[in-house]
Every structure is written in structure tokens, then in C-alpha cells.
């Protein structure tokens, strides 16, 4: 499972034997750390190689340039959200309980932390101008949207409600992203409890009362 906690990576011994996948993961972790610490301006080959304590050439060996690494970072960050959502969906309980678990995970560490949110802010800003990253965003968020829509659709079916699950999932994700940004900018105004209640509020306008 991909972990956002890797924003503060633990470096392996410099000369430890590692597989290609382990090397790539180490470089992605270092790149996420750089984004969280300094934004997109800090996302450079030099900074990432220093953070990972490897040569600059190793990055070019495992990735087709800095944009390829940036796309890998975006996919890794999104995979963390998807893994959390899928883990919640596999738990026992009703559809309402599973949905509540997913929402709770979105507003708890390691996903809901200043470090991960700073990295997301940098990625979102770049995605608006970078076609390759925008395509990665669209592909990753489509999986995220399907997972959330599945839970919403199950509840709507049980209650015999005419709900457009895809549309409600899209709206919910947009609200979650916006609340993350506001919490990152001023956590005194948007608290975790406020954010959770806001998400449940918009879902309940279409689905009726939900278990927290």
C-alpha cells in the first residue's frame, strides 16, 4: 500500500541492494518530501537527489525526466487515497458504515496532514498547466470517483432514491479537495470536525440521514 507518511522518508543504507521498484519508490518518496517542504519550485533533480542521497543520474535511469517523475508522484499520492477507500470498502458493515469510514479516513492522518496537503497544493497548481499531469489527474480521479460512487449508489438503491451517484461523488470529491485547501490555509476556521460535517451534509441532502 502506498503511504503518504513517506513524505518524511527513512533513507535506506546508501549501498544497500535494492530492486528497481524499491529505487523508484525511494525517489518518489524523496520527491514528495521536496514538494511538501518547498512546493513546485523545490521539485528539481538536484533537490530530489540530495533528499534521496543518490546521484542525479539514478533519477534519469528510472524516470524519463522530471515530468515523468512528477506524474509518478501524482499517481502515488492518489493511490494512497484509493488504498484507504478500498480498505474501508472491504470492512464489514453496512454501506453507510463503509461510507462513513471512507470520509473519516479522508480527514485523518496520514492523508489529512499539513505535509501531504502542501504536496497536493503544489501538484494541483502544476496540473492546471501541465498536460501530462492533467491526464494523470483525470485517470486517477476517475478511479477515486468510481469507488465513492459505488458506496453512494448502494445506499441510494437500498433506500429506493433516484440519486445520480456519479454526479454526487464528483461533487463530494470537489468539496473534500476544497476543505483540504481551506484547512491547510487556516485550520482555525476549517477544523477536521467542520470538514467532516460539511461532507456528510452535502451527501444527506440527496441520501437522507447517514450514520457517522
Amino acid at each position: 500500500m502506498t503511504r503518504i507518511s513517506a513524505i518524511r522518508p527513512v533513507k535506506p543504507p546508501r549501498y544497500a541492494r535494492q530492486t528497481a521498484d524499491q529505487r523508484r519508490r525511494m525517489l518518489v518518496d524523496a520527491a514528495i518530501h521536496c514538494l511538501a517542504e518547498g512546493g513546485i519550485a523545490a521539485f528539481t533533480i538536484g533537490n530530489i537527489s540530495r533528499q534521496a542521497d543518490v546521484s542525479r543520474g539514478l533519477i534519469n535511469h528510472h524516470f524519463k525526466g522530471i515530468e515523468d517523475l512528477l506524474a509518478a508522484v501524482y499517481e502515488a499520492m492518489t493511490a494512497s487515497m484509493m488504498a484507504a477507500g478500498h480498505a474501508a470498502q472491504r470492512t464489514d458493515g453496512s454501506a453507510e458504515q463503509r461510507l462513513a469510514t471512507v470520509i473519516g479516513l479522508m480527514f485523518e492522518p496520514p492523508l489529512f496532514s499539513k505535509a501531504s496537503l502542501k504536496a497536493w497544493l503544489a501538484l494541483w497548481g502544476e496540473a492546471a498547466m501541465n498536460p501530462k499531469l492533467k491526464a494523470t489527474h483525470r485517470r486517477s480521479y476517475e478511479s477515486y470517483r468510481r469507488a465513492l460512487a459505488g458506496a453512494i449508489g448502494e445506499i441510494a438503491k437500498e433506500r429506493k432514491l433516484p440519486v445520480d451517484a456519479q454526479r454526487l461523488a464528483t461533487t463530494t470529491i470537489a468539496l473534500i479537495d476544497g476543505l483540504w485547501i481551506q484547512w491547510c490555509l487556516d485550520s482555525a476556521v476549517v477544523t477536521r470536525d467542520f470538514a467532516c460535517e460539511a461532507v456528510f451534509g452535502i451527501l444527506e441532502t440527496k441520501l437522507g440521514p447517514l450514520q457517522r
Side-chain angles (χ1 to χ4, degrees):
M1 173 177 171
T2 305
R3 298 174 293 109
I4 292 296
S5 56
I7 283 172
R8 297 186 178 278
V10 177
K11 297 177 185 177
R14 185 168 183 174
Y15 299 106
R17 186 181 297 278
Q18 294 176 291
T19 66
D21 284 345
Q22 288 172 327
R23 287 284 189 182
R24 285 176 61 89
R25 180 66 242 186
M26 178 188 67
L27 294 171
V28 167
D29 289 345
I32 293 172
H33 179 89
C34 290
L35 278 176
E37 291 295 313
I40 200 67
F43 195 85
T44 66
I45 295 291
N47 285 340
I48 296 165
S49 62
R50 282 190 292 274
Q51 178 62 34
D53 196 19
V54 298
S55 69
R56 296 166 64 98
L58 188 67
I59 296 176
N60 291 325
H61 175 73
H62 288 285
F63 297 95
K64 300 175 183 178
I66 196 73
E67 284 198 10
D68 188 38
L69 176 53
L70 190 62
V73 164
Y74 202 104
E75 289 173 352
M77 296 279 285
T78 307
S80 296
M81 292 191 299
M82 290 302 301
H86 287 321
Q89 289 297 304
R90 288 194 298 269
T91 60
D92 294 333
S94 66
E96 287 182 66
Q97 290 170 330
R98 295 197 304 273
L99 183 60
T101 300
V102 171
I103 294 169
L105 287 170
M106 293 301 107
F107 294 104
E108 290 178 0
L111 293 177
F112 194 62
S113 67
K114 293 289 187 180
S116 65
L117 292 174
K118 287 177 182 177
W120 273 118
L121 286 173
L123 288 170
W124 285 331
E126 184 67 13
M129 302 175 289
N130 184 317
K132 184 173 183 178
L133 201 58
K134 184 177 291 186
T136 301
H137 167 84
R138 185 175 292 114
R139 182 172 61 251
S140 298
Y141 264 60
E142 180 56 32
S143 297
Y144 179 18
R145 189 161 39 249
R146 282 199 305 268
L148 190 57
I152 292 170
E154 187 175 342
I155 295 169
K157 183 177 180 180
E158 289 173 355
R159 297 182 178 187
K160 296 180 173 58
L161 296 171
V163 174
D164 186 331
Q166 283 282 355
R167 181 182 292 273
L168 185 54
T170 299
T171 302
T172 303
I173 291 170
L175 178 60
I176 290 172
D177 287 350
L179 290 165
W180 277 11
I181 293 171
Q182 290 301 315
W183 179 81
C184 192
L185 293 173
D186 192 347
S187 56
V189 174
V190 175
T191 64
R192 178 193 177 277
D193 288 344
F194 177 94
C196 285
E197 284 300 315
V199 174
F200 276 108
I202 197 167
L203 288 168
E204 288 178 338
T205 62
K206 297 293 185 179
L207 298 173
L210 294 168
Q211 295 181 29
R212 300 292 199 270

